[in-house]
Amino acid sequence: MTTTEARPTERKPPQLVDMSWDPITRIIGNLGIYTKIDFANREVVECHSTSSLFRGYSVFMKGKDPRDAGFITSRICGICGDNHTTCSDYAQQMAYGVKPPPLADYIVNLGEAAEYMFDHTIFQDNLVFVDFCEAMVKATNPSVLARAERTEAPRGDIHGYRTIADIMKAFNPFEGEVYKEALKVSRVTREMFCLMEGRHVHPSTLYPGGVGTMPQPNTFTDYLSRLMRVIDFVKKAVAMNDDVFDFFYEALPGYEEVGRRRVLLGCWGAFQDPKTVDYRYETMNSWGKDMYVTPGIIVDGKLVTNNLVDINLGLRILLGSSYYEDWVNEEPFVTHDPLGNPVDMRHPWNQTTVPVPQKRDFDDKYSWVMSPRWFDQRTGDHLALDTGGGPLARLWSTALSGLVDTPYVKSTGHSVRISLPKGESLPETTLEWRIPQWSNTIERDRARPYFVAYAAAMALQFLEESMGLIRAGETKVFENYEVPDEAIGCGFHEAVRGVLSHHLVIKDKKIANYHPYPP
């Protein structure tokens, strides 16, 4: 039986055990964790995170036609390839000086909203919730399951389960009702995605300058009909997650420490506002703040900045413990940004990737992953932001900024209110995500279904705006452009797991430097 208890104050003679997990294969097998654990005092004494995979995109993209960047970089990931394509297109549009027609931006927003709904649902309900399901808790902590069987579910009137244990049972892999329903929802949301972006996960209809999606009225009504089929599932998912997570806090005092980190969150923003975005660097602060997910950097719970120009200029790529040569003595690609601000040599625009394969040495070099940081000018610190905070960071940044104000989603300065219309069985519902006390595992998990609701709500607005444009005859979805001889661009977006940026330098109409940074 697993319990959470206070650690004794008297230290015991250490009992060190080397424990390693390599490869970790939940997604791809290039992550390794190497530890020394003191079992006597229940402490992790030493821990190294390694990657054995050299990606090399920044190397082999040099000299390519920049218009190919979106198609190439979508292959970086077999899960969030569309996020890379979108981000690459944003960077290219800045470099080319092209603004897509409004309908094209709405189509991209609708595709990305469907991706958030698809991925967060399958990740939460079919992967994460296995940790909280009846079968897992029964095997690892039967006393907690017994308590769950006696505990009424506070939101049972919404999701229909009487006790917490009933919810846990519904999440049992391959057998539970919600587990199986989540798989069906994932199929429907993937269909929604494909209506807008052509195919999953490497889109066939996204280009710099616009989209190739044919904007027929039934394109949007087909999307809407599918969205309305999953609206009630979204409402139930939020209620079930809240019930289970609140229960775990109560049943296991100290559980809030699981995965708890200092509140260092980064969000690069998502969902452009077609009415104001022009993709110009000079106006990036303005249109960045108009995004329907507000960018921001949060340090110890306080919003440091939501200015995308500041966020961009603060990016630093440190070598850390990686197998690469330093580039600080090379000629910089970019000395100043388009606003005249100096660009650091360790900024992605100036990074040069020269791999140096060598034997793993935990006292020196041991990984193919560099150490991205954000430079805090207030303190001089290179902050290791929780860039994989994903939905937690998106909601937290949007809540603190208080800028999003739409018919379906409103930011209050301390929370985010999400309004979903009447579905097949549940009435119109307003959900409210409130800034939590901690940045820990449960709150990262809790934020996920809330952001599914957020994406669903914003999709409703994007559909209304798109149909309005079509009724007005504004069906253009592509704008021509010329590739300049020399240019720079940067794209900021939110991959499903967290922040995503692409940085591009063009010389002689070819890619001179290109660096994608996923969460």
Side-chain angles (χ1 to χ4, degrees):
M1 185 176 72
T2 303
T3 58
T4 305
E5 57 191 44
R7 189 174 291 160
T9 54
E10 291 185 11
R11 295 191 62 80
K12 300 175 183 177
Q15 179 189 345
L16 291 179
V17 177
D18 286 342
M19 298 191 73
S20 303
W21 296 266
D22 190 357
I24 293 175
T25 58
R26 184 167 238 184
I27 303 298
I28 50 175
N30 65 340
L31 174 65
I33 301 293
Y34 291 79
T35 67
K36 292 184 188 295
I37 299 177
D38 180 355
F39 277 86
N41 294 292
R42 301 174 66 187
E43 289 179 352
V44 177
V45 177
E46 191 175 301
C47 181
H48 296 91
S49 170
T50 74
S51 174
S52 56
L53 180 67
F54 171 63
R55 287 298 182 90
Y57 278 82
S58 53
V59 175
F60 63 70
M61 286 185 69
K62 287 188 176 182
K64 298 283 195 302
D65 189 315
R67 292 169 295 183
D68 289 337
F71 298 109
I72 297 172
T73 58
S74 88
R75 270 70 185 176
I76 288 173
C77 181
I79 293 173
C80 56
D82 63 287
N83 303 141
H84 280 284
T85 306
T86 300
C87 197
S88 178
D89 288 350
Y90 290 167
Q92 290 178 70
Q93 284 158 189
M94 181 179 289
Y96 306 156
V98 61
K99 170 180 166 52
L103 187 56
D105 275 325
Y106 282 126
I107 286 172
V108 173
N109 285 353
L110 284 165
E112 295 304 274
E115 172 68 357
Y116 293 131
M117 287 183 267
F118 160 76
D119 194 283
H120 283 328
T121 296
I122 202 167
F123 189 87
Q124 183 82 350
D125 297 348
N126 302 119
L127 292 175
V128 166
F129 229 96
V130 172
D131 295 340
F132 300 93
C133 76
E134 177 200 51
M136 179 67 76
V137 178
K138 183 177 182 179
T140 60
N141 210 326
S143 66
V144 169
L145 181 60
R147 179 169 178 166
E149 290 169 343
R150 302 189 303 268
T151 304
E152 295 280 332
R155 299 166 182 84
D157 59 320
I158 299 173
H159 53 65
Y161 293 99
R162 189 179 64 84
T163 68
I164 300 296
D166 290 336
I167 302 175
M168 292 175 171
K169 184 176 181 180
F171 277 98
N172 281 339
F174 311 113
E175 299 174 354
E177 290 176 336
V178 176
Y179 185 95
K180 290 188 286 189
E181 188 178 359
L183 292 174
K184 295 177 183 177
V185 167
S186 295
R187 174 178 175 143
V188 172
T189 49
R190 180 170 282 192
E191 290 172 353
M192 291 161 58
F193 174 94
C194 291
L195 283 167
M196 297 298 155
E197 299 194 21
R199 67 178 180 184
H200 193 279
V201 64
H202 309 300
S204 57
T205 63
L206 298 191
Y207 318 108
V211 300
T213 307
M214 295 301 292
Q216 304 292 340
N218 67 298
T219 304
F220 301 97
T221 55
D222 286 352
Y223 186 108
L224 177 60
S225 66
R226 286 167 171 80
L227 177 58
M228 294 310 297
R229 281 165 56 188
V230 303
I231 284 285
D232 283 351
F233 176 86
V234 173
K235 298 170 188 172
K236 292 176 184 177
V238 170
M240 284 186 284
N241 279 262
D242 275 341
D243 278 355
V244 170
F245 294 142
D246 291 349
F247 167 80
F248 264 80
Y249 277 142
E250 185 180 338
L252 288 171
Y255 202 81
E256 67 276 3
E257 296 299 321
V258 175
R260 184 178 176 188
R261 305 172 185 172
R262 182 184 175 193
V263 181
L264 290 175
L265 296 169
C267 169
W268 291 175
F271 299 144
Q272 304 289 354
D273 183 350
K275 296 183 180 70
T276 59
V277 65
D278 59 11
Y279 297 100
R280 295 173 59 241
Y281 188 93
E282 291 83 352
T283 55
M284 188 163 69
N285 173 34
S286 175
W287 56 257
K289 287 176 179 168
D290 287 340
M291 293 164 84
Y292 290 111
V293 172
T294 311
I297 288 173
I298 299 148
V299 177
D300 298 325
K302 300 284 196 308
L303 182 68
V304 173
T305 182
N306 54 16
N307 183 335
L308 268 182
V309 173
D310 291 343
I311 289 173
N312 174 55
L313 292 172
L315 293 175
R316 301 286 186 273
I317 310 302
L318 309 184
L319 288 176
S321 302
S322 60
Y323 308 125
Y324 299 95
E325 281 186 5
D326 206 342
W327 59 86
V328 290
N329 295 320
E330 303 285 333
E331 282 292 317
F333 289 93
V334 181
T335 59
H336 292 80
D337 73 358
L339 289 168
N341 300 304
V343 177
D344 193 84
M345 195 62 191
R346 293 210 172 276
H347 188 276
W349 272 330
N350 288 323
Q351 180 184 340
T352 301
T353 302
V354 181
V356 185
Q358 56 193 277
K359 184 179 179 180
R360 180 187 289 154
D361 180 359
F362 285 124
D363 293 324
D364 189 18
K365 310 295 184 187
Y366 55 82
S367 180
W368 281 113
V369 174
M370 295 187 193
S371 301
R373 298 289 184 265
W374 191 77
F375 181 69
D376 190 344
Q377 289 188 331
R378 306 170 308 162
T379 61
D381 293 332
H382 289 87
L383 299 176
L385 298 177
D386 184 0
T387 55
L392 181 65
R394 291 194 279 274
L395 290 166
W396 207 312
S397 178
T398 301
L400 284 177
S401 289
L403 295 175
V404 175
D405 187 3
T406 76
Y408 297 101
V409 176
K410 293 184 186 296
S411 165
T412 69
H414 58 82
S415 68
V416 176
R417 292 198 189 107
I418 304 161
S419 297
L420 296 174
K422 181 181 182 299
E424 293 176 350
S425 59
L426 292 176
E428 180 179 352
T429 303
T430 297
L431 307 168
E432 186 167 14
W433 179 89
R434 296 176 176 83
I435 292 175
Q437 187 175 349
W438 306 288
S439 173
N440 61 11
T441 297
I442 276 187
E443 296 308 331
R444 281 189 286 277
D445 287 343
R446 189 198 302 269
R448 210 167 283 118
Y450 273 94
F451 198 78
V452 173
Y454 191 115
M458 286 311 310
L460 289 165
Q461 176 172 329
F462 301 147
L463 285 167
E464 291 173 5
E465 300 278 5
S466 298
M467 293 299 288
L469 288 171
I470 288 177
R471 284 191 291 269
E474 297 181 34
T475 58
K476 187 177 180 181
V477 291
F478 187 80
E479 192 68 56
N480 287 321
Y481 59 86
E482 293 289 333
V483 176
D485 290 333
E486 294 192 2
I488 60 174
C490 55
F492 290 91
H493 187 38
E494 283 286 305
V496 180
R497 305 290 188 268
V499 303
L500 177 62
S501 70
H502 282 220
H503 286 78
L504 164 68
V505 179
I506 297 173
K507 289 187 177 179
D508 300 322
K509 295 185 183 294
K510 301 293 184 183
I511 294 175
N513 208 18
Y514 198 106
H515 289 281
Y517 271 93

Short mmCIF file of all heavy atoms in Angstrom, two decimals, residues 61-90:
data_model
loop_
_atom_site.label_atom_id
_atom_site.label_comp_id
_atom_site.label_asym_id
_atom_site.label_seq_id
_atom_site.Cartn_x
_atom_site.Cartn_y
_atom_site.Cartn_z
N MET A 61 18.44 21.75 -43.11
CA MET A 61 17.55 22.73 -43.73
C MET A 61 18.31 23.89 -44.37
O MET A 61 17.74 24.64 -45.17
CB MET A 61 16.54 23.26 -42.72
CG MET A 61 15.47 22.23 -42.39
SD MET A 61 14.19 22.85 -41.32
CE MET A 61 13.36 24.01 -42.40
N LYS A 62 19.58 24.03 -44.04
CA LYS A 62 20.36 25.11 -44.64
C LYS A 62 20.46 24.91 -46.14
O LYS A 62 20.70 23.81 -46.62
CB LYS A 62 21.77 25.16 -44.02
CG LYS A 62 21.79 25.69 -42.61
CD LYS A 62 23.21 25.91 -42.11
CE LYS A 62 23.21 26.54 -40.73
NZ LYS A 62 24.58 26.81 -40.24
N GLY A 63 20.25 26.00 -46.89
CA GLY A 63 20.33 25.93 -48.34
C GLY A 63 19.03 25.54 -49.02
O GLY A 63 18.94 25.57 -50.25
N LYS A 64 18.02 25.15 -48.24
CA LYS A 64 16.73 24.75 -48.82
C LYS A 64 15.91 25.99 -49.20
O LYS A 64 16.12 27.09 -48.68
CB LYS A 64 15.93 23.91 -47.81
CG LYS A 64 16.58 22.59 -47.41
CD LYS A 64 16.42 21.54 -48.47
CE LYS A 64 16.72 20.14 -47.97
NZ LYS A 64 18.05 19.94 -47.42
N ASP A 65 14.95 25.78 -50.09
CA ASP A 65 13.97 26.82 -50.38
C ASP A 65 13.13 27.04 -49.13
O ASP A 65 12.56 26.09 -48.59
CB ASP A 65 13.07 26.36 -51.54
CG ASP A 65 12.16 27.48 -52.06
OD1 ASP A 65 11.56 28.20 -51.23
OD2 ASP A 65 12.05 27.62 -53.28
N PRO A 66 13.06 28.28 -48.63
CA PRO A 66 12.33 28.51 -47.37
C PRO A 66 10.86 28.10 -47.43
O PRO A 66 10.25 27.80 -46.41
CB PRO A 66 12.50 30.00 -47.11
CG PRO A 66 12.91 30.59 -48.42
CD PRO A 66 13.64 29.53 -49.15
N ARG A 67 10.27 28.08 -48.64
CA ARG A 67 8.86 27.70 -48.76
C ARG A 67 8.62 26.24 -48.42
O ARG A 67 7.48 25.82 -48.21
CB ARG A 67 8.37 28.01 -50.17
CG ARG A 67 8.30 29.50 -50.49
CD ARG A 67 8.06 29.76 -51.96
NE ARG A 67 9.19 29.31 -52.78
CZ ARG A 67 9.27 29.47 -54.10
NH1 ARG A 67 8.28 30.10 -54.73
NH2 ARG A 67 10.31 29.03 -54.77
N ASP A 68 9.68 25.45 -48.37
CA ASP A 68 9.56 24.04 -48.00
C ASP A 68 9.61 23.82 -46.49
O ASP A 68 9.42 22.70 -46.02
CB ASP A 68 10.67 23.21 -48.65
CG ASP A 68 10.49 23.08 -50.15
OD1 ASP A 68 9.35 23.23 -50.61
OD2 ASP A 68 11.49 22.84 -50.84
N ALA A 69 9.90 24.88 -45.73
CA ALA A 69 10.17 24.72 -44.30
C ALA A 69 9.00 24.09 -43.55
O ALA A 69 9.20 23.24 -42.67
CB ALA A 69 10.53 26.07 -43.68
N GLY A 70 7.78 24.51 -43.87
CA GLY A 70 6.63 23.96 -43.16
C GLY A 70 6.47 22.47 -43.39
O GLY A 70 6.18 21.71 -42.45
N PHE A 71 6.66 22.03 -44.60
CA PHE A 71 6.50 20.61 -44.92
C PHE A 71 7.60 19.78 -44.26
O PHE A 71 7.36 18.67 -43.79
CB PHE A 71 6.51 20.39 -46.43
CG PHE A 71 5.39 21.09 -47.14
CD1 PHE A 71 5.64 22.20 -47.95
CD2 PHE A 71 4.08 20.68 -46.99
CE1 PHE A 71 4.61 22.86 -48.59
CE2 PHE A 71 3.05 21.32 -47.63
CZ PHE A 71 3.30 22.42 -48.43
N ILE A 72 8.83 20.31 -44.25
CA ILE A 72 9.93 19.58 -43.64
C ILE A 72 9.78 19.51 -42.13
O ILE A 72 9.89 18.44 -41.52
CB ILE A 72 11.28 20.23 -44.02
CG1 ILE A 72 11.51 20.15 -45.53
CG2 ILE A 72 12.43 19.55 -43.28
CD1 ILE A 72 12.72 20.94 -46.02
N THR A 73 9.49 20.64 -41.51
CA THR A 73 9.46 20.66 -40.04
C THR A 73 8.25 19.95 -39.46
O THR A 73 8.25 19.59 -38.29
CB THR A 73 9.52 22.11 -39.50
OG1 THR A 73 8.42 22.86 -40.03
CG2 THR A 73 10.83 22.77 -39.86
N SER A 74 7.20 19.72 -40.26
CA SER A 74 6.07 18.95 -39.72
C SER A 74 6.52 17.54 -39.36
O SER A 74 5.89 16.87 -38.54
CB SER A 74 4.92 18.90 -40.73
OG SER A 74 5.03 17.81 -41.61
N ARG A 75 7.63 17.08 -39.97
CA ARG A 75 8.13 15.73 -39.69
C ARG A 75 8.96 15.67 -38.42
O ARG A 75 9.43 14.60 -38.03
CB ARG A 75 8.98 15.23 -40.87
CG ARG A 75 8.17 14.50 -41.93
CD ARG A 75 7.25 15.39 -42.71
NE ARG A 75 6.42 14.62 -43.65
CZ ARG A 75 5.47 15.15 -44.39
NH1 ARG A 75 5.20 16.45 -44.30
NH2 ARG A 75 4.77 14.40 -45.21
N ILE A 76 9.16 16.80 -37.75
CA ILE A 76 9.87 16.78 -36.48
C ILE A 76 9.15 15.89 -35.48
O ILE A 76 9.77 15.21 -34.66
CB ILE A 76 10.01 18.22 -35.92
CG1 ILE A 76 11.04 19.01 -36.75
CG2 ILE A 76 10.42 18.21 -34.45
CD1 ILE A 76 11.12 20.47 -36.38
N CYS A 77 7.82 15.88 -35.55
CA CYS A 77 7.02 15.16 -34.55
C CYS A 77 5.90 14.39 -35.24
O CYS A 77 5.27 14.90 -36.17
CB CYS A 77 6.43 16.15 -33.54
SG CYS A 77 5.46 15.37 -32.24
N GLY A 78 5.67 13.17 -34.79
CA GLY A 78 4.57 12.37 -35.31
C GLY A 78 3.27 12.61 -34.58
O GLY A 78 2.27 11.93 -34.82
N ILE A 79 3.27 13.56 -33.66
CA ILE A 79 2.07 13.89 -32.89
C ILE A 79 1.62 15.32 -33.15
O ILE A 79 0.46 15.58 -33.41
CB ILE A 79 2.34 13.69 -31.38
CG1 ILE A 79 2.54 12.20 -31.09
CG2 ILE A 79 1.19 14.24 -30.53
CD1 ILE A 79 2.97 11.92 -29.68
N CYS A 80 2.56 16.26 -33.12
CA CYS A 80 2.18 17.67 -33.24
C CYS A 80 2.76 18.28 -34.51
O CYS A 80 3.16 19.45 -34.52
CB CYS A 80 2.62 18.46 -32.01
SG CYS A 80 4.38 18.35 -31.66
N GLY A 81 2.81 17.51 -35.60
CA GLY A 81 3.36 18.03 -36.84
C GLY A 81 2.64 19.25 -37.35
O GLY A 81 3.25 20.17 -37.94
N ASP A 82 1.33 19.31 -37.15
CA ASP A 82 0.57 20.47 -37.61
C ASP A 82 0.96 21.73 -36.86
O ASP A 82 0.95 22.83 -37.42
CB ASP A 82 -0.93 20.23 -37.46
CG ASP A 82 -1.32 20.05 -36.00
OD1 ASP A 82 -1.00 18.98 -35.44
OD2 ASP A 82 -1.94 20.96 -35.43
N ASN A 83 1.29 21.58 -35.58
CA ASN A 83 1.74 22.74 -34.81
C ASN A 83 3.03 23.31 -35.39
O ASN A 83 3.21 24.53 -35.47
CB ASN A 83 1.96 22.38 -33.35
CG ASN A 83 0.74 21.79 -32.66
OD1 ASN A 83 0.86 20.87 -31.86
ND2 ASN A 83 -0.46 22.29 -32.97
N HIS A 84 3.93 22.41 -35.83
CA HIS A 84 5.18 22.86 -36.45
C HIS A 84 4.90 23.56 -37.78
O HIS A 84 5.49 24.60 -38.08
CB HIS A 84 6.12 21.68 -36.66
CG HIS A 84 6.86 21.28 -35.44
ND1 HIS A 84 7.94 22.01 -34.95
CD2 HIS A 84 6.70 20.23 -34.58
CE1 HIS A 84 8.40 21.42 -33.85
NE2 HIS A 84 7.66 20.35 -33.61
N THR A 85 4.01 23.00 -38.60
CA THR A 85 3.69 23.62 -39.87
C THR A 85 3.12 25.02 -39.66
O THR A 85 3.52 25.98 -40.33
CB THR A 85 2.68 22.77 -40.66
OG1 THR A 85 3.17 21.44 -40.78
CG2 THR A 85 2.43 23.33 -42.04
N THR A 86 2.19 25.13 -38.73
CA THR A 86 1.58 26.43 -38.43
C THR A 86 2.63 27.43 -37.99
O THR A 86 2.67 28.57 -38.47
CB THR A 86 0.50 26.26 -37.33
OG1 THR A 86 -0.51 25.36 -37.80
CG2 THR A 86 -0.12 27.59 -36.97
N CYS A 87 3.49 27.01 -37.07
CA CYS A 87 4.51 27.91 -36.53
C CYS A 87 5.50 28.32 -37.61
O CYS A 87 5.92 29.48 -37.70
CB CYS A 87 5.24 27.20 -35.38
SG CYS A 87 6.16 28.31 -34.30
N SER A 88 5.88 27.36 -38.48
CA SER A 88 6.78 27.66 -39.58
C SER A 88 6.15 28.67 -40.54
O SER A 88 6.81 29.61 -41.00
CB SER A 88 7.14 26.38 -40.33
OG SER A 88 7.98 26.66 -41.43
N ASP A 89 4.86 28.49 -40.83
CA ASP A 89 4.17 29.43 -41.71
C ASP A 89 4.15 30.83 -41.10
O ASP A 89 4.30 31.83 -41.82
CB ASP A 89 2.75 28.96 -42.00
CG ASP A 89 2.72 27.74 -42.92
OD1 ASP A 89 3.78 27.40 -43.49
OD2 ASP A 89 1.64 27.14 -43.07
N TYR A 90 3.94 30.93 -39.80
CA TYR A 90 3.97 32.24 -39.13
C TYR A 90 5.33 32.91 -39.34
O TYR A 90 5.41 34.11 -39.64
CB TYR A 90 3.70 32.09 -37.64
CG TYR A 90 2.28 31.72 -37.26
CD1 TYR A 90 1.99 31.30 -35.95
CD2 TYR A 90 1.23 31.79 -38.16
CE1 TYR A 90 0.70 30.96 -35.57
CE2 TYR A 90 -0.07 31.44 -37.78
CZ TYR A 90 -0.32 31.03 -36.49
OH TYR A 90 -1.59 30.68 -36.11
#
